[in-house]
Amino acid sequence: MKARDMTLLEHYAGLAMQGMLANPKLEKQILTQGQSWIEETAWKVAAAMVKTKEIALPEYHKHLRECSELSNRTRNALLAEEVETVGQLLSYPAEQLSKIVNLGKVGRAEIFDLLVKERGER
């Protein structure tokens, strides 16, 4: 059984927790505060990272209906998967794209072109 793909928030929380555990300056606090402190702090750091990323990248909020690079077929396939914005598309696991119904090589190429264009306009 394959584990589900991590969300961006979960990924950042894991990275934050690893960083905290590897930091010798936090050793005393970790020992006195315990596991719940590490978890709570890691989630707070992760939430702040996601929020900062969304603010720093205004294209995150652009709706896919505004993206002329996508064909109706590609757009509809993404919307059926509840991927509605460029930000959600950026966070969507790449290996899952090939599993989306009605999204073939052409659709994946359209998505790639869109993301390259969006990143280039910053």
Side-chain angles (χ1 to χ4, degrees), residues 1 6 12 16 27 39 45 64-65 69 87-88 97 108 120:
M1 178 179 204
M6 281 193 292
Y12 284 160
E27 184 177 350
E39 292 171 357
V45 168
L64 295 181
R65 287 189 180 97
E69 300 82 4
Q88 290 172 326
L97 284 176
R108 290 192 300 275

Side-chain angles (χ1 to χ4, degrees), residues 15-32:
L15 293 176
M17 192 176 294
Q18 286 175 351
M20 290 167 38
L21 292 170
N23 187 341
K25 294 179 181 179
L26 293 177
E27 184 177 350
K28 184 177 179 182
Q29 188 164 5
I30 290 170
L31 290 173
T32 58

Side-chain angles (χ1 to χ4, degrees), residues 69-70 74 78 89 97 100 103 105-117:
E69 300 82 4
L70 300 178
T74 300
L78 291 169
L89 186 54
L97 284 176
I100 295 177
L103 186 66
K105 290 180 184 179
V106 172
R108 290 192 300 275
E110 291 174 5
I111 291 168
F112 178 77
D113 291 344
L114 167 68
L115 297 178
V116 168
K117 177 183 175 257

Side-chain angles (χ1 to χ4, degrees), residues 3-118:
R4 69 172 179 79
D5 296 308
M6 281 193 292
T7 66
L8 190 59
L9 184 66
E10 291 168 331
H11 175 72
Y12 284 160
L15 293 176
M17 192 176 294
Q18 286 175 351
M20 290 167 38
L21 292 170
N23 187 341
K25 294 179 181 179
L26 293 177
E27 184 177 350
K28 184 177 179 182
Q29 188 164 5
I30 290 170
L31 290 173
T32 58
Q33 299 290 325
Q35 181 178 347
S36 62
W37 176 81
I38 298 169
E39 292 171 357
E40 289 171 17
T41 305
W43 284 110
K44 288 177 185 176
V45 168
M49 291 170 73
V50 169
K51 183 176 181 182
T52 300
K53 187 173 184 178
E54 289 177 358
I55 291 169
L57 301 172
E59 67 269 15
Y60 254 60
H61 305 289
K62 185 175 181 181
H63 200 284
L64 295 181
R65 287 189 180 97
E66 300 173 40
C67 301
S68 60
E69 300 82 4
L70 300 178
S71 66
N72 285 334
R73 180 184 178 117
T74 300
R75 187 178 302 107
N76 290 338
L78 291 169
L79 293 174
E81 290 292 313
E82 297 180 3
V83 177
E84 298 178 356
T85 65
V86 172
Q88 290 172 326
L89 186 54
L90 283 168
S91 298
Y92 199 85
E95 62 276 1
Q96 294 293 93
L97 284 176
S98 62
K99 298 177 183 176
I100 295 177
V101 176
N102 292 326
L103 186 66
K105 290 180 184 179
V106 172
R108 290 192 300 275
E110 291 174 5
I111 291 168
F112 178 77
D113 291 344
L114 167 68
L115 297 178
V116 168
K117 177 183 175 257
E118 289 296 329

